[in-house]
Amino acid sequence: KMSTDMRLCGLAMLLAASCVSGSSVMSLQSMDATCTITDFGAVADNKTVNTLAIQKAIDHCSEMYPEGSMVVVPAGAYQTGSLLLRSNMRFHIAKGAGIYGSSNESEYPVVPWVTGEGACWRALLSAYNSTNISVTGENDGAPGSNSIVDGVGWTWWCYAHSFPIYQDWCNQFNPTNKTFPEGSPLRPKLVEFVNCTNILLQGFTAQNSANWHLHPTNCTNVVIRNMTVLAPRAVGNTDGIDPDSCINVLVEDSHVDVGDDGVSIKSMNVSGEMAPTRNLTMRRMNILSRNWCVGSGTFGGIYDILVEDCQIGAEDHITSPWAIKFKSHRNYPGPMENITFRRIRIGMIGPTPWMYPTHGGSAIIIGMTYGHPPSAHPLGHPVFRNVTFEDITIASASSAGAIQGLPASCIRDVTFKNVTVLNGNSSWSCSDVDAQSFHAIDVHPPIPWCSGQCTNWTSSSEHAATMV
């Protein structure tokens, strides 16, 4: 397992990255290196489309001050299409300011999807092959609402017709019943940085994205801090924070309440390269809806993850159908190794009427068969090992958890220590786990025998010896 020294070293690197991301902009308090978007024609009426004016401010500031600049969005509501940020730049959303996405797809250039397969409309805030970029706001804490980036996703969701969107929304936002034709680009994400280094997202509210909200992809040294991420719980594909094939990531002190995965750690096939996610720390997070997860894309591997001092779900009512979920699969599998959860409070877990009314309710899910059945020629099997769950309390759950390996890929080196469901008559299910490396210490309710070809528990006494 990854040593404590390695984790501390990685965290030190992340904190250094935070300083790097902010250093070039924090020193730029002189007016010379600051560009205010209203000076370039932006109008704060939430009607005028300001894409060209704001992009002009970005480009001018980058050209005039290439070593470091700050673009300021002053108080007011600014409608815009996709914006492309530049290196050595802070994009600052002042108190009372909001960036609101246009519903006109022509305001979003079509760019290749990072996997090299298909295309997507470029994100509302985007950057490619850049370094030292900050997007900051003036929220007092999380949750907060002083500074806003809003994807105005209702129209996009209704255009897509891919979710059970409330009809009264679509009557208002899509009165002509417009539909995207088959083969259209993927809907734009809210904030997406690709192939970038030294990234800081801090102190603003990201909400109502047409697709995922915060999606750093193939980036190094990423800090996400004091963020509020919001979307209606009834709308899928609105993931909150999705680090994807990134190395050295710190996410802390943030609040997430969305309609899909609150956090999803991914490792996609980036333009033909199997790029891993490695060395990621999450702490002091409040994920109200929906859950923390790995996957489903784990192609390049997920390594060296620490999640600590977090709250998942509400304590007094059900907001999540599950809390911690690993969802890899066999068509594009990858390893999930050296992952630790500690000091996690999980609220009430159960079916959610707005999306999962008849199923859900497992607090912890470890699975390798997510989505469709494997193709005729699967690329292999997921690998799951060296994972620890420690000091975890669950207010209530229909099921404490499901631990499901594969006969060809046993779950190995897993430890549950001091894990308790406080209320209810929940239980565990378990299959295809290597018994010799599986440890459950002070777990309530107890984890039972595991079925499947991986297991070599042969007697109740042997089982009891393993399950302390």
Side-chain angles (χ1 to χ4, degrees):
K1 295 186 180 181
M2 184 174 59
S3 69
T4 301
D5 288 345
M6 289 177 65
R7 283 201 176 103
L8 292 175
C9 180
L11 185 56
M13 292 173 62
L14 289 168
L15 293 173
S18 173
C19 296
V20 170
S21 294
S23 61
S24 62
V25 295
M26 292 303 178
S27 63
L28 296 172
Q29 298 303 318
S30 69
M31 295 301 292
D32 290 345
T34 299
C35 301
T36 302
I37 64 171
T38 49
D39 292 340
F40 293 81
V43 179
D45 60 4
N46 206 13
K47 294 180 181 179
T48 304
V49 179
N50 293 289
T51 312
L52 294 179
I54 300 175
Q55 190 64 56
K56 184 177 179 181
I58 292 169
D59 295 344
H60 174 84
C61 230
S62 177
E63 182 179 350
M64 292 297 296
Y65 314 107
E67 295 184 358
S69 62
M70 179 164 62
V71 174
V72 176
V73 181
Y78 302 87
Q79 186 180 146
T80 181
S82 175
L83 301 171
L84 183 64
L85 304 183
R86 308 296 188 183
S87 292
N88 303 318
M89 177 172 287
R90 177 183 182 185
F91 188 82
H92 183 69
I93 305 157
K95 185 175 183 178
I99 292 288
Y100 294 88
S102 169
S103 60
N104 184 347
E105 60 266 30
S106 68
E107 295 290 333
Y108 299 79
V110 175
V111 295
W113 178 232
V114 292
T115 62
E117 301 174 358
C120 58
W121 282 295
R122 198 175 69 191
L124 186 61
L125 298 182
S126 66
Y128 295 82
N129 306 309
S130 300
T131 189
N132 297 334
I133 303 178
S134 300
V135 180
T136 61
E138 298 185 26
N139 282 3
D140 295 326
S145 59
N146 290 342
S147 305
I148 294 173
V149 177
D150 192 322
V152 193
W154 290 276
T155 302
W156 293 92
W157 304 329
C158 292
Y159 286 174
H161 283 274
S162 55
F163 311 110
I165 304 301
Y166 297 136
Q167 190 56 46
D168 56 345
W169 291 358
C170 293
N171 290 341
Q172 178 180 356
F173 292 100
N174 187 23
T176 63
N177 201 32
K178 176 179 176 178
T179 302
F180 289 138
E182 188 73 23
S184 293
L186 295 174
R187 298 180 312 283
K189 298 178 181 68
L190 196 72
V191 180
E192 183 173 60
F193 293 165
V194 181
N195 301 330
C196 294
T197 302
N198 297 342
I199 302 302
L200 174 65
L201 304 177
Q202 178 173 292
F204 65 94
T205 297
Q207 64 187 29
N208 302 321
S209 178
N211 205 318
W212 304 340
H213 284 79
L214 309 181
H215 186 222
T217 301
N218 206 33
C219 293
T220 301
N221 299 342
V222 178
V223 176
I224 299 174
R225 176 185 292 135
N226 188 24
M227 290 294 299
T228 300
V229 187
L230 306 173
R233 295 176 188 168
V235 181
N237 269 170
T238 53
D239 291 22
I241 302 173
D242 287 12
D244 189 342
S245 299
C246 292
I247 297 176
N248 299 340
V249 179
L250 173 64
V251 184
E252 63 182 3
D253 301 312
S254 295
H255 174 90
V256 183
D257 187 355
V258 295
D260 213 303
D261 299 323
V263 169
S264 182
I265 312 302
K266 303 179 184 295
S267 176
M268 305 289 277
N269 182 351
V270 179
S271 299
E273 297 183 4
M274 307 303 278
T277 287
R278 187 185 300 275
N279 192 23
L280 182 148
T281 295
M282 290 192 169
R283 60 192 184 188
R284 301 186 300 273
M285 300 285 293
N286 181 25
I287 303 172
L288 192 58
S289 176
R290 187 178 65 182
N291 58 275
W292 188 101
C293 86
V294 164
S296 62
T298 63
F299 317 149
I302 310 288
Y303 305 96
D304 306 335
I305 309 297
L306 173 63
V307 183
E308 62 183 1
D309 302 310
C310 294
Q311 172 80 40
I312 304 175
E315 297 280 353
D316 57 354
H317 63 288
I318 295 173
T319 61
S320 300
W322 40 78
I324 297 171
K325 187 175 185 179
F326 290 82
K327 54 178 186 180
S328 190
H329 49 74
R330 285 168 282 184
N331 289 329
Y332 299 97
M336 298 164 280
E337 301 183 8
N338 303 333
I339 300 172
T340 296
F341 296 85
R342 64 189 184 195
R343 301 187 301 275
I344 308 296
R345 293 180 60 88
I346 295 174
M348 299 177 65
I349 302 300
T352 51
W354 51 88
M355 188 172 289
Y356 294 100
T358 60
H359 65 286
S362 292
I364 299 173
I365 299 175
I366 301 172
M368 299 183 176
T369 57
Y370 177 77
H372 300 291
S375 64
H377 302 286
L379 296 181
H381 303 284
V383 175
F384 187 93
R385 60 191 174 203
N386 293 341
V387 179
T388 298
F389 302 87
E390 183 173 3
D391 296 331
I392 296 176
T393 59
I394 303 162
S396 66
S398 304
S399 165
I403 308 166
Q404 299 170 335
L406 292 169
S409 184
C410 304
I411 290 175
R412 301 183 185 278
D413 298 303
V414 175
T415 297
F416 287 82
K417 183 178 181 181
N418 191 24
V419 177
T420 302
V421 180
L422 299 175
N423 297 294
N425 298 315
S426 60
S427 61
W428 298 82
S429 62
C430 182
S431 64
D432 296 309
V433 173
D434 174 55
Q436 298 301 316
S437 61
F438 185 86
H439 305 282
I441 304 167
D442 196 17
V443 176
H444 307 282
I447 300 176
W449 258 316
C450 291
S451 62
Q453 300 177 33
C454 294
T455 306
N456 59 4
W457 286 332
T458 57
S459 68
S460 58
S461 61
E462 182 178 353
H463 176 65
T466 307
M467 312 295 284
V468 178

